[in-house]
Amino acid sequence: MTHKVRVHQPENILVAKRQKSTLIWEQFLHYGVALLCVASAFGATLLLKPYITPTPAVLFFPAVMVSAWYGGLAPGLLATVLSTLALNYLFFQPLHTLNITNLNALVPLVVFILAAGLISYLNESRRTAQRKAEASLKSLRESEARFNRFVESNEQVLRQRETELRLITDTLPVLISFVDSEQRYRFNNRTYEEWFGYPAAQAYGKHLWEVLGESAYEVIRPYVEQVLSGHQVSFESEISYKDGQIRYINATYVPQLDREGNVEGFVVLISDISQQQAALRDRLLAEEALRESKERLMFALQSAELGDWDLDLSTQTAYRSLRHDQIFGYKSLLPEWTYEIFLEHVLPEDRPLVNAKFLTALTNNDIWDFECRIHRADGELRWIWGRGHVYYNSQGEATRMLGLIGDISDRKQTETELQQLNETLEQRIQERTAQLEAANQELESFSYSVSHDLRAPFRHIAGFVELLTKQLSSTTLDETSQRYLKIVAQTAKQAGILIDELLSFSRMGRTEMRYVILDIEELVQEVKRDMIAETQGRTIHWYIESLPEVQGDPSMLRLVLRNLIANAVKYTQTRTIAKITIGSTDNDEETIFFVQDNGVGFNMQYVNKLFGVFQRLHSNPEFEGTGVGLANVQRIIHRHNGRVWAESEIDKGATFYFSLPKLSKKETE
């Protein structure tokens, strides 16, 4: 502080001296002006004396006025005194005397003195008022300058505070807005722009519902009404905004009151908690799923009558369920259960194997899986099954083993009974196999007998009819007799064919299957070539698509194709141009083949009879046949684990389908 005074003291002295000199000079100038004005008035009066004799003081009034106007009261009084003396001694008779008794001279002098004094006083008052006015104006200007500096300072502070506030509000990950009492936006931070994708200034002056949309406004309107009534509001809600965004928000509305307590508007603080809400929902769903999983696990354990246990390998003590201890014959949970207590229940002859498996599981990180016999608490002998899994800590040390245990005594008894039953069953199978072999031999003998003994009479009938026809050819037979002999011959021939078909049908169920990979397209071409005799002289358009390979018995599937194609040829013989299509489709499990024709078709009402033995939907004179071919097709396809069906309309043709299981990838390779 001392150092500061020393620095400024010389400067202050110089300023004081300069001000004093200026004041002295101003005083000297004021009095000099007064003397000059009086001298000027005196000189002018002398010059104009002949003209202003009645009023010699007329020119001294301006001198006093100018002196008082310029210098103030003291110079004005000085000019008044000097002017009075000059008038008294030089311009009032008698000259050069003090005429205080002469009223003619005294009255003008007194009037002059009063008038000049009044002029000086008035000018002094004017100067005082002017000085005060100047001082007031100076003070006002200084105040105005200080006010301007204060305003500028405040504006700068306000701008700085606004910048700081904007920085703070823009930094916070919270949407901050100010809404006035008319529900118009007045302020929004940068988070608002990040949420809605356009400058916050675009929302200024707009109503809430214009910016957010009617749907969102309907959600927040009750809370807006509360905050405008002067209450702070907090809430959480899912809101669908105008731009299509859906957010789950946590919002707080804080009212702003004026001095009278009226609500001017409110501050809006909004956090987007969509992720937290989603995480909460996921956690709740996970907890619910975990609870349901535990319930299902408990239900499964209870239904399976299994007990669960958790063995602490460091203390060899275990946490168990009630069912665990019940398996060992205890009605309630024991206070403690250890691995040693478990081994005490195991029969001595089973104990080494159980313990060895336990140690192996710990050493090799394997599953402890065992079956053994135990003595229950009441002494009853039971079979149990156990399974445990070892868990390790971050250091690779085995810390615990979780597992299940169950009573398998009933299963063991069932296995014993099944073993005995299997031994008996094997004997029965051997006996039944011998019976089946004998039955097959008898069936073969029967088939041979049918083939030999039935064929012979029909051959005799056909032969004798032929001989009778030749013998009587020279004699006269009427037309009816010839027709009868022809029918007998045809019937005998048809009966022979029927016997062959029946033998083929019976053998088809006993023939051993021989599976190979077959090219169905090639097989179709072979069958088509074999049927040249049946198609001779006919116009048939064949449409054979590209057909896939399948797995099956070649001779059996050849017979299937032979029967289906022969049927198509036979039942299109009434058509001028026959059309036969052979193709395939497939799905995930099977390949489907079809033979389609434009023949006479059949009534779908009787489709269930189509694949039966001796079942024919057309008369023999119209279309020859035995009614065994389609039955053979169905038997062969069923032996291949496939399906057979047909679709048709009368006089619009028919389509026969059969399916074969698809080859597996390994079989295809």
Side-chain angles (χ1 to χ4, degrees), residues 248-291:
Y248 203 98
I249 64 167
N250 179 296
T252 300
Y253 294 168
V254 181
Q256 179 174 327
L257 308 178
D258 59 15
R259 293 181 178 180
E260 289 75 23
N262 299 319
V263 177
E264 293 181 332
F266 58 95
V267 177
V268 178
L269 304 173
I270 300 179
S271 300
D272 186 350
I273 60 172
S274 301
Q275 293 183 352
Q276 297 91 318
Q277 197 66 20
L280 177 61
R281 285 196 298 266
D282 292 343
R283 183 171 64 83
L284 293 176
L285 290 175
E287 291 177 353
E288 181 65 18
L290 179 61
R291 184 186 62 79

Side-chain angles (χ1 to χ4, degrees), residues 468-660:
L468 183 60
T469 302
K470 290 179 180 180
Q471 185 178 358
L472 295 176
S473 60
S474 59
T475 62
T476 303
L477 282 176
D478 58 17
E479 186 178 347
T480 302
S481 299
Q482 291 179 3
R483 184 168 58 84
Y484 288 162
L485 287 176
K486 186 178 180 181
I487 291 173
V488 171
Q490 290 177 348
T491 304
K493 182 180 178 182
Q494 185 69 19
I497 295 173
L498 182 59
I499 290 172
D500 290 338
E501 294 286 348
L502 284 174
L503 290 175
S504 175
F505 182 76
S506 65
R507 284 195 300 270
M508 196 59 63
R510 304 192 307 274
T511 304
E512 183 179 356
M513 300 282 288
R514 183 171 63 89
Y515 282 96
V516 296
I517 304 299
L518 290 175
D519 186 341
I520 294 295
E521 188 173 350
E522 183 179 346
L523 204 58
V524 167
Q525 295 294 345
E526 289 180 5
V527 171
K528 180 172 171 285
R529 286 194 297 270
D530 292 344
M531 296 189 66
I532 292 177
E534 288 87 340
T535 59
Q536 192 73 32
R538 293 184 53 189
T539 303
I540 300 177
H541 292 175
W542 297 89
Y543 303 96
I544 302 174
E545 300 176 359
S546 178
L547 303 174
E549 292 184 341
V550 296
Q551 187 182 51
D553 186 286
S555 60
M556 291 185 180
L557 292 180
R558 193 176 191 282
L559 183 58
V560 168
L561 292 171
R562 167 75 187 189
N563 280 317
L564 295 179
I565 295 173
N567 269 0
V569 171
K570 178 168 61 176
Y571 290 107
T572 57
Q573 64 187 5
T574 61
R575 300 291 188 250
T576 304
I577 299 177
K579 296 181 181 180
I580 300 175
T581 303
I582 303 170
S584 68
T585 60
D586 64 350
N587 54 39
D588 293 338
E589 299 178 353
E590 60 185 0
T591 302
I592 301 171
F593 298 92
F594 63 87
V595 178
Q596 187 179 57
D597 62 66
N598 65 334
V600 297
F602 59 86
N603 192 339
M604 286 294 289
Q605 182 179 354
Y606 307 108
V607 70
N608 58 330
K609 296 182 179 181
L610 197 61
F611 297 98
V613 181
F614 304 137
Q615 299 292 332
R616 302 192 70 241
L617 303 185
H618 299 278
S619 62
N620 211 17
E622 187 179 4
F623 299 101
E624 294 181 355
T626 61
V628 179
L630 290 180
N632 240 347
V633 169
Q634 180 172 261
R635 172 169 282 195
I636 292 171
I637 296 302
H638 283 181
R639 291 197 68 186
H640 282 79
N641 297 320
R643 301 179 295 131
V644 181
W645 69 98
E647 297 175 355
S648 178
E649 289 186 40
I650 296 176
D651 205 36
K652 291 186 179 181
T655 305
F656 286 83
Y657 299 90
F658 68 91
S659 68
L660 295 173

Side-chain angles (χ1 to χ4, degrees), residues 313-333:
L313 296 175
S314 60
T315 62
Q316 295 293 308
T317 58
Y319 165 82
R320 305 92 55 212
S321 64
L322 176 61
R323 178 58 187 162
H324 174 280
D325 287 13
Q326 288 176 344
I327 290 173
F328 287 90
Y330 301 98
K331 294 182 178 179
S332 59
L333 280 170

Side-chain angles (χ1 to χ4, degrees), residues 80-101:
T80 301
V81 171
L82 294 176
S83 297
T84 302
L85 293 175
L87 289 171
N88 182 63
Y89 285 98
L90 298 176
F91 296 103
F92 287 121
Q93 296 296 327
L95 299 176
H96 311 296
T97 58
L98 182 61
N99 300 314
I100 57 175
T101 58

